[in-house]
Amino acid sequence: MKTPSILTQAKKQYLAQKPTATFFKSGWKLLEERLGEPAHTVLHGFFFAQMPRFAIIAFVVAVICGGNVIYVAQYSKPGEPLFAVKRASETVAQIIIGRRPTEAEEASKSGDVQSPAQQPDTSPISTPKDRKKTVESLKNGKTEVPDRTTGNAATEQIQQQSGGQSSGQSQNGSLKSSENPAEAVEKVVNEVVPRVNLPAFP
Amino acid sequence: MRSLIRHASETACLTRARNGDRAALGEIYRRYQLRIFRFVRVHLGNTAEAEDITQMTFLRFWRAIADFSEKKGSLAAYLFTIARHLVIDLSRKHKEVSLDVVEYLPLGAVEDDGLEKEEERAELQKLLTHLSDEEKTLVSLRYFEDLSFKEIAAVEGSQEGAVRVHLHRILGKLRVIAPQSL
């Protein structure tokens, strides 16, 4: 093996290389004059050295936190703080996916369909005057129930009878309050039973 | 044991130097001054330029000392990396500078006890003449500076295995050219 001996000899020659005496003795002094202050302090240097790592960690944390907030916001309802996030995420998703808005969404945007809150109040007892009138009629035993289908008020007589007596009374007057209930029932049965061929009421 | 003590004191010097202690940098300078000089001198073949590059190496190290971490590599590897980059920069500026054409300069005022004959002086130059700059770097760091393959890989910016393969090829090349050069 001749090569190692060559390298051994070459190493001796390599190590024999020496600088000038001036450089060897005063090299450090010359360098010290040129040093100045270090460019970075320790914390500054550490921050810049670790900056890529910090950036990656911050990005991952932001993605996780942001994703969780958006996920939770999907269950929010109007009026809640995260509802705006939900709307924003839906808008972004709509832009990204390119989904066309539904007819209901378009209608709500154009204003053709109004929500109940947006509709004018047509209730007959919406004003204080109507409320007062209703309260008075209730006190007098007479109630006005608004007919929401027609918008007119229908009057209904409510008679309060004490003593556990039945309040059932037909409007055609077939059953009068002056009659004895037993007699009234007998009269009705006697009218109905002959039609169905049942024995007469005893 | 000696290397452990040396490593511990080197780490302490680095810590102090990072805090702006110039005396600590002076200690590092005294340890590595000659090693860096020799490494650069082999590549440039010019003592004055080698001294200048050595100073520049430590100046650049001082300016970027906060970026250096011993976890990434040894201090020696870091300093040789800086020196190698400076040599490459200078070689680009002065393409004519080459060991093939540069006259082997006298080693200055310092006495050369190991080089008694002028013929022996030229042996190293003749040997390295057959090698490229990268091969000179590998041979210098491995066989003259006794750096590990890992440290050489850090200096070269390559893999440890690639350094091993490359050095093996260089040895084969030297075996072929040795009878002619020596």
Side-chain angles (χ1 to χ4, degrees):
Chain A
M1 292 295 290
K2 200 172 182 181
T3 306
S5 64
I6 291 170
L7 289 174
T8 307
Q9 197 172 356
K11 185 176 181 179
K12 285 180 183 174
Q13 295 164 15
Y14 176 87
L15 295 175
Q17 297 183 105
K18 289 179 182 174
T20 59
T22 310
F23 177 76
F24 189 72
K25 290 178 181 175
S26 57
W28 168 242
K29 287 181 182 176
L30 293 170
L31 180 67
E32 198 176 12
E33 290 172 2
R34 297 169 65 185
L35 280 180
E37 292 299 319
H40 309 302
T41 61
V42 174
L43 285 177
H44 192 254
F46 175 77
F47 179 75
F48 278 101
Q50 303 294 331
M51 185 174 271
R53 198 172 294 173
F54 286 148
I56 291 170
I57 292 171
F59 178 75
V60 170
V61 169
V63 167
I64 292 171
C65 293
N68 283 333
V69 168
I70 291 170
Y71 179 76
V72 172
Q74 301 307 310
Y75 297 96
S76 63
K77 293 173 182 174
E80 293 181 354
L82 289 178
F83 187 70
V85 177
K86 181 183 178 182
R87 291 288 304 273
S89 65
E90 285 175 350
T91 306
V92 171
Q94 192 173 325
I95 292 169
I96 293 172
I97 298 170
R99 183 179 67 86
R100 292 184 62 187
T102 59
E103 290 180 4
E105 287 170 347
E106 285 181 347
S108 66
K109 281 182 183 175
S110 61
D112 294 341
V113 178
Q114 291 179 334
S115 64
Q118 292 172 329
Q119 290 176 355
D121 193 359
T122 55
S123 173
I125 56 171
S126 61
T127 60
K129 190 178 177 182
D130 292 336
R131 287 198 196 102
K132 191 175 178 183
K133 192 177 175 183
T134 305
V135 169
E136 285 176 358
S137 62
L138 282 170
K139 285 179 181 175
N140 296 333
K142 189 178 180 182
T143 303
E144 283 187 358
V145 178
D147 188 354
R148 292 187 184 274
T149 55
T150 58
N152 299 324
T155 304
E156 185 180 353
Q157 293 286 339
I158 300 173
Q159 290 184 351
Q160 295 180 352
Q161 295 180 358
S162 60
Q165 200 172 10
S166 173
S167 61
Q169 185 178 12
S170 61
Q171 290 182 352
N172 57 10
S174 62
L175 195 62
K176 294 179 181 178
S177 61
S178 59
E179 287 180 344
N180 188 357
E183 292 176 357
V185 171
E186 183 183 351
K187 186 179 179 181
V188 171
V189 170
N190 288 333
E191 286 178 359
V192 175
V193 166
R195 297 180 198 165
V196 295
N197 298 322
L198 288 174
F201 194 79
Chain B
M1 187 66 184
R2 185 179 292 175
S3 64
L4 282 175
I5 294 170
R6 184 178 178 181
H7 179 73
S9 64
E10 195 172 280
T11 307
C13 280
L14 268 173
T15 308
R16 282 164 48 211
R18 278 201 199 95
N19 293 326
D21 187 353
R22 293 183 178 192
L25 182 69
E27 183 66 28
I28 294 170
Y29 179 86
R30 275 183 280 277
R31 285 183 188 183
Y32 287 95
Q33 179 193 22
L34 276 178
R35 293 180 71 181
I36 299 296
F37 170 79
R38 287 170 190 149
F39 175 74
V40 177
R41 176 74 171 76
V42 160
H43 282 79
L44 297 178
N46 186 320
T47 305
E49 281 185 341
E51 289 176 354
D52 205 26
I53 293 290
T54 304
Q55 297 289 80
M56 285 294 295
T57 300
F58 285 97
L59 200 61
R60 192 172 282 191
F61 170 68
W62 174 250
R63 287 175 181 166
I65 194 167
D67 297 332
F68 171 69
S69 171
E70 285 183 298
K71 292 176 184 174
K72 294 177 184 173
S74 67
L75 176 61
Y78 192 66
L79 287 171
F80 280 115
T81 305
I82 296 173
R84 178 173 166 268
H85 288 162
L86 288 170
V87 167
I88 291 170
D89 290 345
L90 191 68
S91 297
R92 282 176 185 160
K93 287 178 185 174
H94 309 286
K95 291 229 171 187
E96 69 275 11
V97 175
S98 167
L99 282 177
D100 296 350
V101 293
V102 168
E103 184 186 354
Y104 194 78
L105 299 172
L107 296 175
V110 178
E111 293 291 329
D112 293 336
D113 298 331
L115 298 177
E116 295 176 359
K117 297 178 183 178
E118 194 68 27
E119 292 175 357
E120 288 180 358
R121 283 184 174 181
E123 286 177 358
L124 175 63
Q125 185 186 356
K126 282 181 182 176
L127 179 67
L128 296 177
T129 301
H130 297 280
L131 303 178
S132 66
D133 285 344
E134 190 181 358
E135 289 170 342
K136 281 177 203 166
T137 303
L138 291 173
V139 170
S140 303
L141 295 176
R142 178 61 186 166
Y143 297 106
F144 303 157
E145 294 293 342
D146 297 324
L147 260 63
S148 65
F149 287 111
K150 189 178 179 182
E151 287 174 321
I152 296 170
V155 173
E156 286 285 314
S158 61
Q159 299 294 319
E160 198 176 328
V163 171
R164 286 176 187 273
V165 170
H166 205 160
L167 272 169
H168 183 73
R169 287 175 184 167
I170 292 169
L171 284 180
K173 189 177 176 180
L174 285 174
R175 283 193 192 101
V176 173
I177 64 174
Q180 301 166 4
S181 61
L182 293 177

